[in-house]
Every structure is written in structure tokens, then in C-alpha cells.
């Protein structure tokens, strides 16, 4: 994990705790709708890679961000391939994209001036990763079947690094007080996005 330590990541996670817990019904919905859930997870890994590469396209002069975002994109493609390999072993197909209510809700809070948009997009990506960490931990501990439990334990560690990395890049570009202030506002929006997204067994 270049340029960050486990301590940095743990400090970040404890500093920006999610303000809404995933409902205890969620894991049950995953169990009941696993093919839908896992196809959605594969789609999210693919979209995470594309979003990371979008930072490279839009902000080519921010060299540290370009380096970090390209690494994350590479790791997300790796996650997609791992999910897809397990899906193929169990005969689960990829499914057509559906609108992501949770992500749309979060993106609706991204502001419109170029600097504000840049900061908000970095922090929204960070928060999506932090929610992923929470859910992967639930799956690693509570999902009924191996090898999925072991798989989610591995992913959980990787996504922890991503959550910190987007936030950390934001702190290199914007004043720390501004990043923290906005992160606190977006944490409230994230909690509402999570609470208002119906549980369908999907990842979000
Ligand atoms: Fe991922
Ligand atoms: Fe990630």
C-alpha cells in the first residue's frame, strides 16, 4: 500500500464513522437473492474501475491522484475478475445494468463549481468505499457459504485502502479543514442515501 500505513487507514476509518448502520435484514436479503446480489457486485467493481480512470482523464495535472486512481482502477478490475470467476464457477450470469439509487442519491449532492465538484467527487468515492467496507465485513462474518466468506474478507482489506486513498488525495489538493467540513456534511447525506435505498438484496 504505497504512501499510507495501516495506522493511517485505521485512523481515517475511526474518524469518519458511517452514521447509519446497514440494516440487520440486509444479509438475509443477500442470502435470498444471491444471483442478483453478486451480479450487482460485479457491476459495482466494473463501475469503480471506470470512475477511478475518470479522475485520470479529468485531472491529469494532479500527478499523485493520477497515480493513485490508476492503481485503484487496476485493483477494481482485479476484483471484477475475481467476482466473475467465482460467479462462473457457480453458474451465475452477469446481468444488465440497473440504476443505482444509492449512488444517484449521493451524486445529487455533488456541487457544481469546478473545485467543489472535484472535492465532492473524491469524497463521494471515499464514502462509497467505506460503505463497501461495512458490507464486506458483514459478508465475511455472516454469509452462509465459503468460498464467498473468505473472498469478502480479502476484499474488505483492499476496499479499506481505497476509502482512505480518495480522502487522502483530497487532503493533498484542498485545505484539511475544508475536506473535513465537507466530509462531515457528506456523511449525513450518505446515511440518508443508505436509509432511503430499498433493501433488494443488492450491494447498495
Ligand atoms: Fe473493489
Ligand atoms: Fe474499491
Amino acid at each position: 500500500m504505497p504512501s499510507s500505513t495501516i495506522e493511517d487507514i485505521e485512523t481515517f476509518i475511526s474518524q469518519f464513522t458511517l452514521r447509519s448502520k446497514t440494516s440487520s435484514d440486509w444479509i438475509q436479503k443477500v442470502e435470498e437473492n444471491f444471483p442478483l446480489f453478486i451480479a450487482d457486485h460485479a457491476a459495482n467493481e466494473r463501475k469503480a474501475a471506470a470512475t477511478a480512470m475518470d479522475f485520470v482523464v479529468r485531472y491529469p495535472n494532479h500527478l499523485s491522484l493520477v497515480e493513485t486512481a490508476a492503481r485503484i482502477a487496476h485493483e477494481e478490475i482485479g476484483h471484477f475478475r475475481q467476482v466473475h470467476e467465482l460467479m462462473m464457477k457457480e453458474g451465475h450470469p452477469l446481468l444488465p445494468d440497473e440504476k443505482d439509487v444509492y449512488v444517484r442519491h449521493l451524486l445529487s449532492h455533488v456541487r457544481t463549481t469546478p473545485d467543489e465538484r472535484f472535492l465532492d467527487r473524491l469524497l463521494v468515492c471515499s464514502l462509497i468505499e467505506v460503505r463497501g467496507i461495512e458490507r464486506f465485513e458483514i459478508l465475511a462474518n455472516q454469509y452462509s457459504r465459503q468460498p464467498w466468506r473468505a473472498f469478502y474478507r480479502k476484499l474488505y482489506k483492499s476496499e479499506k485502502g481505497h476509502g482512505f486513498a480518495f480522502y487522502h488525495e483530497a487532503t493533498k489538493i484542498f485545505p484539511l479543514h475544508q475536506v473535513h467540513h465537507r466530509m462531515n456534511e457528506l456523511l449525513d447525506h450518505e446515511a440518508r442515501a443508505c436509509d432511503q435505498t430499498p433493501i433488494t438484496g443488492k450491494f447498495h
Side-chain angles (χ1 to χ4, degrees), residues 6-197:
I6 300 292
E7 288 73 28
D8 290 334
I9 294 170
E10 294 300 340
T11 303
F12 162 74
I13 298 285
S14 60
Q15 197 172 8
F16 299 108
T17 311
L18 292 172
R19 294 179 183 168
S20 164
K21 272 193 161 182
T22 286
S23 149
S24 55
D25 297 348
W26 181 76
I27 188 69
Q28 191 55 40
K29 296 285 180 188
V30 171
E31 300 273 0
E32 289 165 5
N33 301 285
F34 192 71
L36 183 62
F37 164 78
I38 200 61
D40 186 58
H41 179 180
N44 283 326
E45 296 292 0
R46 174 176 55 72
K47 288 177 201 168
T51 301
M53 284 311 291
D54 192 57
F55 282 108
V56 175
V57 174
R58 287 179 196 275
Y59 306 106
N61 297 328
H62 290 274
L63 297 185
S64 173
L65 174 61
V66 167
E67 186 72 13
T68 296
R71 173 178 59 79
I72 291 175
H74 179 79
E75 289 172 10
E76 303 293 16
I77 292 281
H79 296 168
F80 172 82
R81 293 182 68 198
Q82 290 167 47
V83 177
H84 190 232
E85 191 183 334
L86 282 171
M87 288 172 76
M88 285 193 294
K89 274 190 187 148
E90 295 196 356
H92 301 303
L94 293 171
L95 297 173
D97 260 353
E98 280 181 34
K99 73 171 183 179
D100 190 323
V101 177
Y102 166 81
V103 170
R104 281 193 184 193
H105 185 134
L106 269 180
L107 291 178
S108 73
H109 295 287
V110 169
R111 295 168 298 177
T112 52
T113 69
D115 275 3
E116 288 175 334
R117 183 171 169 75
F118 187 11
L119 173 60
D120 288 0
R121 288 193 67 222
L122 286 168
L123 298 185
V124 162
C125 283
S126 174
L127 285 171
I128 291 172
E129 297 282 351
V130 173
R131 180 60 69 184
I133 296 162
E134 188 219 23
R135 294 199 168 172
F136 289 165
E137 190 172 24
I138 294 171
L139 289 157
N141 291 328
Q142 298 181 36
Y143 186 61
S144 60
R145 288 184 304 129
Q146 292 285 17
W148 294 100
R149 269 212 307 275
F151 174 65
Y152 279 110
R153 183 156 302 288
K154 219 168 51 181
L155 276 197
Y156 161 78
K157 289 180 186 156
S158 173
E159 306 297 6
K160 248 181 165 175
H162 295 173
F164 173 73
F166 282 116
Y167 156 81
H168 190 46
E169 291 304 326
T171 66
K172 293 179 192 172
I173 298 164
F174 298 95
L176 193 60
H177 68 88
Q178 194 183 339
V179 175
H180 283 203
H181 179 75
R182 189 58 181 155
M183 193 66 161
N184 274 301
E185 289 178 341
L186 287 171
L187 272 164
D188 283 337
H189 295 309
E190 196 284 335
R192 275 194 289 278
C194 186
D195 290 344
Q196 290 171 14
T197 303

